[in-house]
Structure formats: C-alpha cells, structure tokens
Amino acid sequence: MTSRRTILAGAFAAGLLATAGPAAAAEELKIGVMFPLSGPMALIGNEAYQAAQVARDMINERGGVKGRKVVFAVADAPGPTQGNAEATRLIVREKVPLIVGTYASSIALAASEVTEREGVLYWETIAVADKFTQRGYGNSIRLTFNATMMGETAADFSRDLAGKLGKKPEELKIAVISEDSEFGQSVGDAAARRVKANGQKLVADERYSRTVTDLSSLVLSLKAKAPDVVIATSYLNDGVLFVRQARELDFNMGALVGIGTGYALPDFLAATGANAEGIFDVDAPATPNVANLPPETQKLHAEFLDRFKTLAKRDPGPLALISFGGFWTLFNEVLAKAPDTKIESLRKAAYAIDLPDGALLTGAGVKLKPEGDKEQGQNTRALISVMQWQQGKLEVVWPKSVAVKEAVSVPLPEWAKR
C-alpha cells in the first residue's frame, strides 16, 4: 500500500510539476526578497538568492501562482541596520504583502520587527537564532531548524564519536568555540549546554569576532587544554583561518565538528585543500540520499540541481537547498492556497501546512508549531544532518535516513602525518 508520506510528498511535488500556461505579465505577484548580497556575508547570501531565482523561474514556467507571475522586489541588506531600513522600504514603497529572507539571524531579527509592526508576513528560510521564534510575533515563520537544534546535534554527535576516539563518553574533553554574532552565540551556547548535560567535560567555551584576522591566541589556548573534539561555529573566513592556524601551530584534535555553511562551501575546500579531509559540518544535507526521497521529490531535486548549476556554474551548497525549499513551499502551500495576500489569509495558510518528511529536497517536511506556542512559527519537521569532507567531497554521514557514507578519519591524523 502506498504510504501517506509518499502520497502527500507526491501531491506536493507532482502537482507543482504540471501547472499549465504562462502567467500574464499584467497580473504580477510581487514579493519582497532580502539577502546580504554585498558585504562580508555576500558569498552565501548570493547563493541563497540564486536558489530563490531558480524557484521563481520554475513556478512562473508552470503558470505562476494562480495565474500570476511571481516577481521579486529585491533588497540588499549586509547588516541589521540595512535590514530594518530595507524592510521598511519594501513595505512602504514597494507595497509587498510579505518579505522572504535572509540567511543572517541579525538581519532577520531586525527586518521581522518591521514586518510585525506593519502587519506583513515575514517568511524566514535560513536564519537560525532561537530568538526569532521566541518573541511572540504572530507574523514570523521559519522553515529551517534553529540554533539550539544545531548546537545540540553537534554535541550529541561528538559524544557518539567517543568509541572511535578510544574513550568512554564521560571521558571526552570537548571545546566549544564560535564567532560572536547572534548566530554564533546562539549555537555555541546551545552546544556548550548540551555537552555538560551529556556528561562530557567542557574544557573551553570561547567566543571571538567573526571579522577576526588572527586566531593564534585562541588556538594556543585550546592546544594547552588538549580537547578530544572541537565544536566550532563559524562563517567561511574564520573557519578557514582556524584550520590554517591549527595546522601552523600544530594543534591536533581527535575531531573537528564545524557548524555552519562556511564549512560546507566549495570555497572552504578550495581554501584549505587536503586540510579539509575528515572535518565534519552540521547543517542541512548538501548531498542527501536522494534515493530515499519520494519519487516526485527526486524529480524536483534533479530539476533544481540542473537549473542551479546552469545559473550559478557550480553545485549548490546546503543553504541553496534550504532556500529553494523555503520559496517553493511559500509559492505552493501559502500563496497558492490563501484566498488573498492579506496577513490573516497568509498566516492561516502557513499554519495549515502539513508536508511529511521527504517533501523538501533536503528530506525535511513542514509543520509549524501552533500559534500561542512559545516557539510559534517554528518548523517542527526541519532536518539537520552531519556531513564530512571525504576525498574532496562533502558526504552526509548522519542521520541514517539521509546518510550516504560512514564517518571516517576519526581520530584525525596529526598534522605532521598528513
């Protein structure tokens, strides 16, 4: 008998593959789209925006949303100040009924304050700060996991590495480091709490500026404490810097569990080369086990992958998959089902979404915590994974439902032996 999971996922994906007829140019549906397209977070901001463009083009080629062509009013928000200003501009001047974004938690928090005040829906696809869904805001929705889930996953996975490291779980010494933005602090705090709750020894819990240009003092401090595992929440530049200086200062560790897409980007591999081998990353799966997805989701994945490569001239990272899923769900489960774009209608459609695991390209589903919950608007079916660099490729190693490889290189070889 066909499972409910397959039926619902198939209805979600297959029904969207066959909407006929081009949308009339005169009947446009304009939505606000905000990402850091310039500044220090532009690399990933642009990747997320490119995934959004693919989703927009795909829905428009299928006839748009109820016959209306989707168009973007785009805002570049390198930081929270611009996020606040641009959200105001999109609502007041562009007259958008909703804003989608943003990748960075600090920007999402600032922009969603504006949408809450102005009675406009804020649809977050990527930012993870716990605070985003803990403010009691009725108009803020998040499709991805939160910071606590990321930090706890890293801590739990680190505990499970004890056997490979030749130790009992309670003997593990774990260091937690993170950059000091809203993202880094939220994830780092969650990881540190979980390490202690799991009964491991937390030998360091450090924060540093994400614009840092020298981490040697931190690396030397960690080296003196000799942790078995380092859990590091980073963006790209500081993640690369940490790995380089760990090698330069001969700081060896049993495992490096990175958190954040900085460790998952091809740019990380390009910058660190063979030094990336064996490093883990906690994020959405960049290369999920597609064969485990429902057939129609597999078709959607193949189409997205082909289109993204054509547009971006590279493979998508995990945030591209998350971004696409957020926009695709918005188009087909909210805008297509709400009778109009009034905030009440959009909010009602959002809270009615019930997509099973496997409906999205990462293997995730969608079901929001209900209105009135202390984390209302948080997706309870967001999927988080652990990946590892193996022979120049990022492979999903956990959980088993999406894993394609077993974890290797634990413990990590000493730098001198690589």
Side-chain angles (χ1 to χ4, degrees):
M1 180 180 293
T2 303
S3 68
R4 175 178 179 272
R5 173 180 180 273
T6 301
I7 291 172
L8 288 179
F12 171 70
L16 308 178
L17 291 171
T19 306
E27 297 182 22
E28 294 182 340
L29 175 57
K30 182 166 63 173
I31 65 173
V33 173
M34 181 185 300
F35 288 108
L37 302 176
S38 63
M41 293 180 286
L43 180 66
I44 303 176
N46 278 280
E47 173 155 319
Y49 176 58
Q50 288 170 326
Q53 291 176 297
V54 171
R56 179 199 60 199
D57 293 346
M58 286 173 60
I59 198 65
N60 284 339
E61 289 176 17
R62 288 160 167 79
V65 174
K66 294 189 288 191
R68 300 174 67 185
K69 178 181 178 181
V70 177
V71 297
F72 290 167
V74 181
D76 174 17
T81 300
Q82 296 91 337
N84 184 292
E86 285 297 280
T88 301
R89 178 185 68 81
L90 289 173
I91 296 168
V92 175
R93 295 185 183 179
E94 298 289 347
K95 309 295 183 184
V96 298
L98 60 93
I99 295 176
V100 194
T102 58
Y103 163 56
S105 294
S106 58
I107 301 170
L109 289 168
S112 56
E113 289 180 0
V114 178
T115 57
E116 186 70 14
R117 182 176 65 245
E118 299 294 333
V120 168
L121 185 71
Y122 190 90
W123 186 265
E124 180 56 52
T125 62
I126 299 174
V128 301
D130 289 351
K131 190 185 299 184
F132 181 80
T133 51
Q134 294 178 345
R135 298 170 295 174
Y137 285 6
N139 300 336
S140 295
I141 306 295
R142 172 162 54 200
L143 268 287
T144 193
F145 38 77
N146 61 25
T148 292
M149 294 167 67
M150 297 185 82
E152 290 180 349
T153 295
D156 291 348
F157 181 72
S158 298
R159 174 195 57 195
D160 292 346
L161 293 175
K164 289 180 178 292
L165 292 169
K167 294 191 173 185
K168 297 178 181 179
E170 63 271 19
E171 295 174 336
L172 276 184
K173 295 189 294 182
I174 299 179
V176 173
I177 64 171
S178 64
E179 54 82 25
D180 64 357
S181 74
E182 184 70 38
F183 163 65
Q185 292 193 58
S186 296
V187 179
D189 290 349
R193 288 194 304 267
R194 190 68 156 213
V195 167
K196 290 188 285 187
N198 284 346
Q200 279 74 66
K201 300 174 183 178
L202 183 66
V203 297
D205 186 14
E206 303 290 344
R207 307 290 176 266
Y208 61 84
S209 170
R210 66 180 174 83
T211 59
V212 67
T213 57
D214 184 4
L215 286 171
S216 59
S217 60
L218 174 61
V219 171
L220 289 172
S221 175
L222 292 176
K223 183 177 180 179
K225 295 173 182 177
D228 300 299
V229 180
V230 174
I231 298 174
T233 305
S234 315
Y235 286 102
L236 175 63
N237 292 339
D238 51 310
V240 169
L241 179 64
F242 178 73
V243 171
R244 285 177 174 171
Q245 294 196 309
R247 175 164 191 140
E248 290 169 1
L249 298 170
D250 198 33
F251 168 41
N252 295 291
M253 62 206 93
L256 173 55
V257 181
I259 305 179
T261 304
Y263 289 98
L265 290 171
D267 307 77
F268 178 78
L269 179 65
T272 58
N275 295 332
E277 184 72 13
I279 293 176
F280 295 103
D281 179 55
V282 176
D283 212 316
T287 53
N289 191 338
V290 178
N292 285 352
L293 298 174
E296 296 303 333
T297 309
Q298 293 183 37
K299 293 179 183 179
L300 199 63
H301 183 278
E303 182 177 358
F304 167 74
L305 193 64
D306 181 65
R307 286 173 176 262
F308 186 89
K309 287 181 177 180
T310 299
L311 175 65
K313 312 303 180 186
R314 66 183 185 282
D315 289 329
L319 290 194
L321 295 179
I322 294 177
S323 181
F324 175 84
F327 278 84
W328 200 242
T329 304
L330 173 68
F331 296 155
N332 295 284
E333 296 296 318
V334 179
L335 293 173
K337 295 183 177 180
D340 51 53
T341 56
K342 294 179 181 178
I343 184 60
E344 296 81 9
S345 300
L346 296 175
R347 192 166 55 223
K348 183 178 180 179
Y351 279 95
I353 299 173
D354 188 3
L355 296 177
D357 293 344
L360 304 188
L361 304 190
T362 59
V366 182
K367 183 66 177 177
L368 304 180
K369 286 193 175 183
E371 293 179 281
D373 187 275
K374 65 178 181 180
E375 289 188 336
Q376 65 179 24
Q378 171 64 47
N379 183 14
T380 63
R381 294 177 185 163
L383 178 69
I384 193 166
S385 72
V386 179
M387 299 170 285
Q388 186 183 39
W389 285 104
Q390 298 182 7
Q391 297 182 344
K393 186 176 180 182
L394 198 62
E395 304 283 9
V396 181
V397 297
W398 184 94
K400 289 185 178 180
S401 61
V402 294
V404 296
K405 296 282 187 177
E406 294 286 337
V408 298
S409 300
V410 181
L412 287 167
E414 295 181 1
W415 292 115
K417 297 180 180 179
R418 295 196 197 187

